[in-house]
Amino acid sequence: MRTTAAVCGLLALLLGLPFAGGTTPGAVDRAADAAVAPLGPGVLRALVFPTEPYVVLALGLLAVVLCLRAGRRLEAALALAVPVLAILLTSWVLKPLYDRWKNDTLVYPSGHTVSLVAVLTVLVLVTRRVFVGVLAAVTLLAAAAGLVGMGYHYLTDVVGGTLFAVAVVLVSWPAPHREPAPSTG
């Protein structure tokens, strides 16, 4: 997990460099804008819904409850603290550092995405279920389309936010414990 965290963190930091201090989209950003342009405002609002703070908070509380029910108190505390850490680092360090603007707002990396992906990553780690990972991926793709289509972010902001959130969660999360195999002798 630490190697994946390091790679994601490094990619998030490098991805923002070409856009630092800028306000214009890159080629990939323009292509993403064109791809979601046909979607109507109602569809885009629905796609952005998972990034709403009350949705993210509810998902985070679900992760805490699941941890507590399983008797994993450390993970319950981390399920609360780690997404908050990712959000604070994004808002207070990375956004001012990269200084990328859209519509008079700092946008790299996407705070909407960091909050959602941090909580979804925690849920995947807590549940250890493939279908939760698939639902998380589908939710992220939908939210990305909505964030780009609503004009809140460029696609590169969303990708950077995704990579950074995954990095923070993985570097902060304890390694999974393996159950010992029963003794045969």
Side-chain angles (χ1 to χ4, degrees):
M1 279 194 342
R2 302 288 185 241
T3 302
T4 302
V7 169
C8 287
L10 181 61
L11 289 174
L13 295 175
L14 292 175
L15 178 62
L17 290 178
F19 306 105
T23 59
T24 58
V28 171
D29 298 323
R30 287 189 295 275
D33 284 341
V36 297
L39 301 175
V43 171
L44 292 171
R45 278 192 297 277
L47 294 174
V48 170
F49 178 73
T51 69
E52 293 291 340
Y54 53 87
V55 175
V56 173
L57 182 59
L59 292 171
L61 290 175
L62 173 62
V64 170
V65 168
L66 292 172
C67 289
L68 291 174
R69 284 186 52 204
R72 301 185 322 222
R73 284 185 262 150
L74 172 61
E75 288 183 13
L78 290 172
L80 282 176
V82 172
V84 171
L85 174 64
I87 293 164
L88 292 176
L89 287 171
T90 298
S91 298
W92 294 350
V93 178
L94 294 182
K95 283 182 182 267
L97 180 69
Y98 284 98
D99 194 37
R100 185 182 198 191
W101 293 84
K102 184 174 187 181
N103 304 327
D104 298 322
T105 304
L106 287 171
V107 292
Y108 188 88
S110 164
H112 290 93
T113 305
V114 168
S115 60
L116 177 64
V117 171
V119 169
L120 291 176
T121 303
V122 166
L123 275 170
V124 169
L125 291 170
V126 166
T127 62
R128 301 175 186 153
R129 302 279 187 235
V130 172
F131 81 91
V132 174
V134 170
L135 286 174
V138 169
T139 301
L140 172 60
L141 290 173
L147 290 168
V148 169
M150 294 291 289
Y152 298 157
H153 286 284
Y154 298 116
L155 180 62
T156 47
D157 305 330
V158 175
V159 173
T162 299
L163 291 166
F164 183 70
V166 169
V168 171
V169 172
L170 292 183
V171 81
S172 304
W173 207 257
H177 298 287
R178 294 188 179 197
E179 297 295 322
S183 174
T184 57

Short mmCIF file of all heavy atoms in Angstrom, two decimals, residues 141-184:
data_model
loop_
_atom_site.label_atom_id
_atom_site.label_comp_id
_atom_site.label_asym_id
_atom_site.label_seq_id
_atom_site.Cartn_x
_atom_site.Cartn_y
_atom_site.Cartn_z
N LEU A 141 -16.45 8.30 -11.45
CA LEU A 141 -16.58 8.65 -12.86
C LEU A 141 -17.78 9.56 -13.10
O LEU A 141 -17.69 10.54 -13.86
CB LEU A 141 -16.70 7.39 -13.72
CG LEU A 141 -15.42 6.55 -13.82
CD1 LEU A 141 -15.70 5.24 -14.55
CD2 LEU A 141 -14.32 7.34 -14.52
N ALA A 142 -18.89 9.26 -12.46
CA ALA A 142 -20.08 10.10 -12.59
C ALA A 142 -19.82 11.50 -12.04
O ALA A 142 -20.14 12.51 -12.68
CB ALA A 142 -21.26 9.45 -11.88
N ALA A 143 -19.22 11.55 -10.86
CA ALA A 143 -18.93 12.84 -10.24
C ALA A 143 -17.95 13.65 -11.10
O ALA A 143 -18.10 14.87 -11.25
CB ALA A 143 -18.37 12.64 -8.84
N ALA A 144 -16.97 12.98 -11.68
CA ALA A 144 -16.00 13.67 -12.55
C ALA A 144 -16.72 14.31 -13.73
O ALA A 144 -16.47 15.48 -14.06
CB ALA A 144 -14.93 12.69 -13.03
N ALA A 145 -17.60 13.56 -14.36
CA ALA A 145 -18.36 14.12 -15.49
C ALA A 145 -19.19 15.32 -15.04
O ALA A 145 -19.25 16.35 -15.74
CB ALA A 145 -19.27 13.04 -16.10
N GLY A 146 -19.81 15.21 -13.87
CA GLY A 146 -20.61 16.32 -13.36
C GLY A 146 -19.78 17.54 -13.01
O GLY A 146 -20.15 18.67 -13.34
N LEU A 147 -18.64 17.33 -12.36
CA LEU A 147 -17.78 18.45 -11.97
C LEU A 147 -17.25 19.19 -13.19
O LEU A 147 -17.18 20.42 -13.21
CB LEU A 147 -16.63 17.96 -11.10
CG LEU A 147 -17.01 17.49 -9.70
CD1 LEU A 147 -15.85 16.76 -9.04
CD2 LEU A 147 -17.47 18.66 -8.84
N VAL A 148 -16.87 18.44 -14.22
CA VAL A 148 -16.38 19.04 -15.46
C VAL A 148 -17.54 19.73 -16.19
O VAL A 148 -17.43 20.87 -16.62
CB VAL A 148 -15.69 17.99 -16.35
CG1 VAL A 148 -15.41 18.54 -17.73
CG2 VAL A 148 -14.39 17.51 -15.68
N GLY A 149 -18.66 19.02 -16.32
CA GLY A 149 -19.80 19.56 -17.05
C GLY A 149 -20.41 20.79 -16.41
O GLY A 149 -20.87 21.70 -17.13
N MET A 150 -20.40 20.86 -15.09
CA MET A 150 -20.94 22.03 -14.40
C MET A 150 -19.96 23.20 -14.41
O MET A 150 -20.30 24.30 -13.99
CB MET A 150 -21.30 21.68 -12.95
CG MET A 150 -22.44 20.71 -12.79
SD MET A 150 -24.05 21.36 -13.26
CE MET A 150 -24.35 22.51 -11.95
N GLY A 151 -18.75 22.94 -14.88
CA GLY A 151 -17.76 24.01 -14.95
C GLY A 151 -17.04 24.27 -13.64
O GLY A 151 -16.36 25.29 -13.50
N TYR A 152 -17.18 23.37 -12.68
CA TYR A 152 -16.51 23.56 -11.39
C TYR A 152 -15.01 23.28 -11.49
O TYR A 152 -14.22 23.88 -10.77
CB TYR A 152 -17.09 22.65 -10.32
CG TYR A 152 -18.54 22.86 -10.00
CD1 TYR A 152 -19.29 21.85 -9.42
CD2 TYR A 152 -19.19 24.07 -10.26
CE1 TYR A 152 -20.63 22.02 -9.11
CE2 TYR A 152 -20.53 24.25 -9.95
CZ TYR A 152 -21.24 23.22 -9.37
OH TYR A 152 -22.56 23.39 -9.07
N HIS A 153 -14.64 22.29 -12.32
CA HIS A 153 -13.25 21.85 -12.40
C HIS A 153 -12.90 21.42 -13.81
O HIS A 153 -13.77 21.07 -14.61
CB HIS A 153 -13.01 20.65 -11.47
CG HIS A 153 -12.96 21.02 -10.04
ND1 HIS A 153 -11.88 21.63 -9.46
CD2 HIS A 153 -13.87 20.87 -9.05
CE1 HIS A 153 -12.12 21.85 -8.17
NE2 HIS A 153 -13.33 21.41 -7.91
N TYR A 154 -11.59 21.43 -14.07
CA TYR A 154 -11.04 20.78 -15.25
C TYR A 154 -10.84 19.31 -14.89
O TYR A 154 -10.70 18.96 -13.71
CB TYR A 154 -9.70 21.38 -15.63
CG TYR A 154 -9.76 22.85 -16.00
CD1 TYR A 154 -9.11 23.80 -15.22
CD2 TYR A 154 -10.45 23.27 -17.13
CE1 TYR A 154 -9.15 25.14 -15.57
CE2 TYR A 154 -10.49 24.62 -17.47
CZ TYR A 154 -9.84 25.54 -16.68
OH TYR A 154 -9.88 26.87 -17.03
N LEU A 155 -10.79 18.45 -15.91
CA LEU A 155 -10.57 17.03 -15.65
C LEU A 155 -9.25 16.79 -14.91
O LEU A 155 -9.18 15.95 -14.02
CB LEU A 155 -10.60 16.22 -16.95
CG LEU A 155 -10.39 14.72 -16.77
CD1 LEU A 155 -11.50 14.11 -15.90
CD2 LEU A 155 -10.34 14.03 -18.12
N THR A 156 -8.22 17.54 -15.25
CA THR A 156 -6.94 17.35 -14.56
C THR A 156 -7.05 17.67 -13.07
O THR A 156 -6.35 17.06 -12.26
CB THR A 156 -5.82 18.19 -15.22
OG1 THR A 156 -6.29 19.52 -15.42
CG2 THR A 156 -5.40 17.58 -16.54
N ASP A 157 -7.91 18.59 -12.69
CA ASP A 157 -8.14 18.87 -11.26
C ASP A 157 -8.72 17.64 -10.56
O ASP A 157 -8.35 17.32 -9.44
CB ASP A 157 -9.11 20.03 -11.07
CG ASP A 157 -8.71 21.29 -11.79
OD1 ASP A 157 -7.50 21.53 -11.97
OD2 ASP A 157 -9.63 22.05 -12.18
N VAL A 158 -9.66 17.00 -11.25
CA VAL A 158 -10.32 15.81 -10.69
C VAL A 158 -9.34 14.65 -10.58
O VAL A 158 -9.28 13.97 -9.54
CB VAL A 158 -11.55 15.43 -11.54
CG1 VAL A 158 -12.17 14.12 -11.06
CG2 VAL A 158 -12.59 16.55 -11.54
N VAL A 159 -8.54 14.46 -11.61
CA VAL A 159 -7.55 13.38 -11.58
C VAL A 159 -6.52 13.64 -10.48
O VAL A 159 -6.18 12.75 -9.69
CB VAL A 159 -6.87 13.20 -12.95
CG1 VAL A 159 -5.72 12.20 -12.87
CG2 VAL A 159 -7.89 12.76 -13.99
N GLY A 160 -6.05 14.87 -10.38
CA GLY A 160 -5.10 15.23 -9.32
C GLY A 160 -5.70 15.03 -7.94
O GLY A 160 -5.03 14.52 -7.03
N GLY A 161 -6.95 15.41 -7.77
CA GLY A 161 -7.63 15.21 -6.49
C GLY A 161 -7.79 13.75 -6.14
O GLY A 161 -7.61 13.34 -4.99
N THR A 162 -8.10 12.95 -7.15
CA THR A 162 -8.24 11.50 -6.94
C THR A 162 -6.92 10.91 -6.48
O THR A 162 -6.86 10.17 -5.49
CB THR A 162 -8.70 10.82 -8.24
OG1 THR A 162 -9.98 11.34 -8.61
CG2 THR A 162 -8.80 9.32 -8.08
N LEU A 163 -5.87 11.21 -7.21
CA LEU A 163 -4.55 10.66 -6.87
C LEU A 163 -4.10 11.10 -5.48
O LEU A 163 -3.58 10.30 -4.69
CB LEU A 163 -3.52 11.09 -7.92
CG LEU A 163 -3.67 10.48 -9.30
CD1 LEU A 163 -2.83 11.23 -10.32
CD2 LEU A 163 -3.32 9.01 -9.27
N PHE A 164 -4.31 12.37 -5.17
CA PHE A 164 -3.87 12.88 -3.87
C PHE A 164 -4.67 12.24 -2.73
O PHE A 164 -4.10 11.83 -1.71
CB PHE A 164 -3.98 14.40 -3.81
CG PHE A 164 -3.47 14.96 -2.52
CD1 PHE A 164 -2.11 14.93 -2.22
CD2 PHE A 164 -4.34 15.48 -1.58
CE1 PHE A 164 -1.63 15.41 -1.02
CE2 PHE A 164 -3.87 15.98 -0.38
CZ PHE A 164 -2.51 15.94 -0.09
N ALA A 165 -5.98 12.13 -2.89
CA ALA A 165 -6.81 11.53 -1.83
C ALA A 165 -6.42 10.08 -1.58
O ALA A 165 -6.29 9.65 -0.42
CB ALA A 165 -8.29 11.63 -2.21
N VAL A 166 -6.23 9.32 -2.64
CA VAL A 166 -5.81 7.92 -2.49
C VAL A 166 -4.47 7.86 -1.77
O VAL A 166 -4.27 7.04 -0.87
CB VAL A 166 -5.77 7.21 -3.86
CG1 VAL A 166 -5.08 5.86 -3.76
CG2 VAL A 166 -7.18 7.06 -4.43
N ALA A 167 -3.54 8.73 -2.14
CA ALA A 167 -2.22 8.73 -1.51
C ALA A 167 -2.31 9.00 -0.01
O ALA A 167 -1.71 8.29 0.79
CB ALA A 167 -1.32 9.78 -2.18
N VAL A 168 -3.08 10.01 0.37
CA VAL A 168 -3.19 10.36 1.79
C VAL A 168 -3.83 9.22 2.58
O VAL A 168 -3.35 8.86 3.66
CB VAL A 168 -3.98 11.67 1.98
CG1 VAL A 168 -4.29 11.92 3.46
CG2 VAL A 168 -3.21 12.84 1.39
N VAL A 169 -4.89 8.64 2.04
CA VAL A 169 -5.55 7.54 2.77
C VAL A 169 -4.62 6.34 2.88
O VAL A 169 -4.46 5.77 3.98
CB VAL A 169 -6.89 7.15 2.09
CG1 VAL A 169 -7.47 5.89 2.74
CG2 VAL A 169 -7.89 8.30 2.18
N LEU A 170 -4.01 5.94 1.80
CA LEU A 170 -3.17 4.74 1.84
C LEU A 170 -1.94 4.91 2.73
O LEU A 170 -1.54 3.97 3.41
CB LEU A 170 -2.74 4.32 0.43
CG LEU A 170 -3.84 3.81 -0.49
CD1 LEU A 170 -3.26 3.38 -1.83
CD2 LEU A 170 -4.63 2.68 0.15
N VAL A 171 -1.34 6.09 2.73
CA VAL A 171 -0.16 6.28 3.57
C VAL A 171 -0.55 6.35 5.05
O VAL A 171 0.27 6.04 5.92
CB VAL A 171 0.64 7.54 3.14
CG1 VAL A 171 0.05 8.84 3.69
CG2 VAL A 171 2.09 7.41 3.54
N SER A 172 -1.78 6.69 5.34
CA SER A 172 -2.24 6.82 6.72
C SER A 172 -2.88 5.56 7.28
O SER A 172 -3.05 5.44 8.49
CB SER A 172 -3.28 7.95 6.81
OG SER A 172 -2.76 9.15 6.31
N TRP A 173 -3.27 4.65 6.41
CA TRP A 173 -4.06 3.48 6.83
C TRP A 173 -3.16 2.35 7.30
O TRP A 173 -2.13 2.08 6.69
CB TRP A 173 -4.93 3.00 5.67
CG TRP A 173 -6.16 2.30 6.13
CD1 TRP A 173 -6.39 0.96 6.15
CD2 TRP A 173 -7.34 2.90 6.66
NE1 TRP A 173 -7.63 0.69 6.65
CE2 TRP A 173 -8.23 1.87 6.98
CE3 TRP A 173 -7.71 4.22 6.91
CZ2 TRP A 173 -9.48 2.11 7.53
CZ3 TRP A 173 -8.95 4.46 7.45
CH2 TRP A 173 -9.82 3.41 7.75
N PRO A 174 -3.54 1.65 8.38
CA PRO A 174 -2.72 0.52 8.82
C PRO A 174 -2.79 -0.63 7.81
O PRO A 174 -3.81 -0.82 7.15
CB PRO A 174 -3.35 0.12 10.15
CG PRO A 174 -4.75 0.66 10.11
CD PRO A 174 -4.71 1.87 9.22
N ALA A 175 -1.70 -1.36 7.72
CA ALA A 175 -1.67 -2.52 6.82
C ALA A 175 -2.70 -3.53 7.30
O ALA A 175 -2.89 -3.72 8.51
CB ALA A 175 -0.28 -3.14 6.82
N PRO A 176 -3.39 -4.20 6.37
CA PRO A 176 -4.39 -5.20 6.78
C PRO A 176 -3.72 -6.36 7.49
O PRO A 176 -2.61 -6.76 7.15
CB PRO A 176 -5.04 -5.65 5.48
CG PRO A 176 -4.17 -5.15 4.38
CD PRO A 176 -3.30 -4.07 4.93
N HIS A 177 -4.41 -6.83 8.51
CA HIS A 177 -3.91 -7.97 9.26
C HIS A 177 -4.40 -9.25 8.62
O HIS A 177 -5.57 -9.37 8.28
CB HIS A 177 -4.40 -7.94 10.72
CG HIS A 177 -3.91 -6.72 11.45
ND1 HIS A 177 -2.62 -6.57 11.84
CD2 HIS A 177 -4.55 -5.61 11.84
CE1 HIS A 177 -2.47 -5.42 12.46
NE2 HIS A 177 -3.64 -4.80 12.47
N ARG A 178 -3.50 -10.19 8.47
CA ARG A 178 -3.89 -11.49 7.92
C ARG A 178 -4.22 -12.41 9.07
O ARG A 178 -3.55 -12.43 10.10
CB ARG A 178 -2.75 -12.08 7.10
CG ARG A 178 -2.49 -11.23 5.88
CD ARG A 178 -1.53 -11.91 4.98
NE ARG A 178 -1.35 -11.03 3.83
CZ ARG A 178 -0.85 -11.43 2.72
NH1 ARG A 178 -0.45 -12.66 2.55
NH2 ARG A 178 -0.72 -10.58 1.72
N GLU A 179 -5.28 -13.14 8.87
CA GLU A 179 -5.67 -14.12 9.87
C GLU A 179 -4.68 -15.28 9.83
O GLU A 179 -4.38 -15.79 8.75
CB GLU A 179 -7.09 -14.63 9.61
CG GLU A 179 -8.16 -13.56 9.70
CD GLU A 179 -8.28 -12.99 11.10
OE1 GLU A 179 -8.16 -13.76 12.08
OE2 GLU A 179 -8.46 -11.77 11.22
N PRO A 180 -4.20 -15.72 11.00
CA PRO A 180 -3.27 -16.85 10.99
C PRO A 180 -3.98 -18.13 10.54
O PRO A 180 -5.16 -18.35 10.84
CB PRO A 180 -2.80 -16.97 12.44
CG PRO A 180 -3.77 -16.18 13.24
CD PRO A 180 -4.44 -15.22 12.32
N ALA A 181 -3.27 -18.95 9.80
CA ALA A 181 -3.83 -20.22 9.35
C ALA A 181 -3.94 -21.15 10.55
O ALA A 181 -3.09 -21.15 11.43
CB ALA A 181 -2.94 -20.84 8.28
N PRO A 182 -5.02 -21.92 10.61
CA PRO A 182 -5.17 -22.86 11.73
C PRO A 182 -4.03 -23.88 11.71
O PRO A 182 -3.59 -24.32 10.65
CB PRO A 182 -6.52 -23.50 11.50
CG PRO A 182 -7.02 -23.05 10.18
CD PRO A 182 -6.11 -21.98 9.68
N SER A 183 -3.62 -24.27 12.88
CA SER A 183 -2.55 -25.24 13.02
C SER A 183 -3.07 -26.63 12.63
O SER A 183 -4.18 -27.02 12.96
CB SER A 183 -2.05 -25.27 14.46
OG SER A 183 -1.11 -26.29 14.63
N THR A 184 -2.24 -27.36 11.91
CA THR A 184 -2.63 -28.71 11.52
C THR A 184 -1.90 -29.77 12.36
O THR A 184 -2.04 -30.95 12.13
CB THR A 184 -2.30 -28.98 10.03
OG1 THR A 184 -0.90 -28.76 9.83
CG2 THR A 184 -3.14 -28.06 9.15
#
